[in-house]
Amino acid sequence: VELGPAACAANEELNLGLCYMKCSLLTNGTRPHRLSAYQCCAGTSGLGCLLKENGTLQFSFVGRGVDVDGRGTVPHPPGQCLSDEENFLNQCYKKCTLLTNHEYPIRSGSATCCKQQPCYNLFHLQTSGGDCAGYNVGGGSTNLTKCPHEPFNVKQPGQP
């Protein structure tokens, strides 16, 4: 099985080579645009974000404030899952579309797949398995990839 493209998790955005939790999630949609590790903004203009009402600038330690990844920890480089896997909360799982024969194509939990949005509707969900079973599996056949795992950090051409 081949590696898929390097990517951040669905609840993350790429900024200057690292994956951060989406500003839209961190600010409940009030400042959805990320300008830096420390700054979420209402608009896309850097100058406009300097105005207090348009932006939030939070200098803090890495892994705090808006300088966090999708799990609330330290931002990380984009990783790669296997081509038959999907990245959910920075873990690689076998794609729900493959596990459910395209019936529940959206992953909404470690062992839960969703038929259609909104995925908080219980009638749209199907859950199966526990620890490394059912839908809570990786896409590979080795000990490293048969269970959910962190994405592989593979250097892309031209990276140091």
Side-chain angles (χ1 to χ4, degrees), residues 57-127:
L57 186 59
Q58 295 181 351
F59 288 107
S60 62
F61 293 106
V62 174
R64 303 258 189 246
V66 298
D67 189 8
V68 294
D69 72 353
R71 293 181 294 178
T73 61
V74 177
H76 58 87
Q80 292 177 283
C81 295
L82 300 176
S83 61
D84 65 345
E85 294 177 326
E86 56 197 343
N87 186 327
F88 181 77
L89 297 178
N90 206 37
Q91 290 287 301
C92 296
Y93 296 89
K94 188 165 191 168
K95 291 179 179 177
C96 278
T97 192
L98 298 174
L99 292 167
T100 66
N101 199 25
H102 306 284
E103 198 172 338
Y104 293 84
I106 305 164
R107 182 162 297 276
S108 59
S110 61
T112 303
C113 298
C114 177
K115 185 176 253 182
Q116 67 185 48
Q117 298 284 1
C119 288
Y120 55 79
N121 182 333
L122 296 178
F123 296 107
H124 296 171
L125 303 177
Q126 188 172 65
T127 300

Side-chain angles (χ1 to χ4, degrees), residues 29-44:
T30 61
R31 292 173 173 79
H33 304 287
R34 181 173 293 278
L35 290 186
S36 72
Y38 309 103
Q39 194 170 26
C40 294
C41 253
T44 57

Side-chain angles (χ1 to χ4, degrees), residues 8-13 22 25 87-90 107:
C8 298
N11 67 335
E12 296 176 330
E13 58 195 350
K22 289 182 177 179
L25 298 174
N87 186 327
F88 181 77
L89 297 178
N90 206 37
R107 182 162 297 276

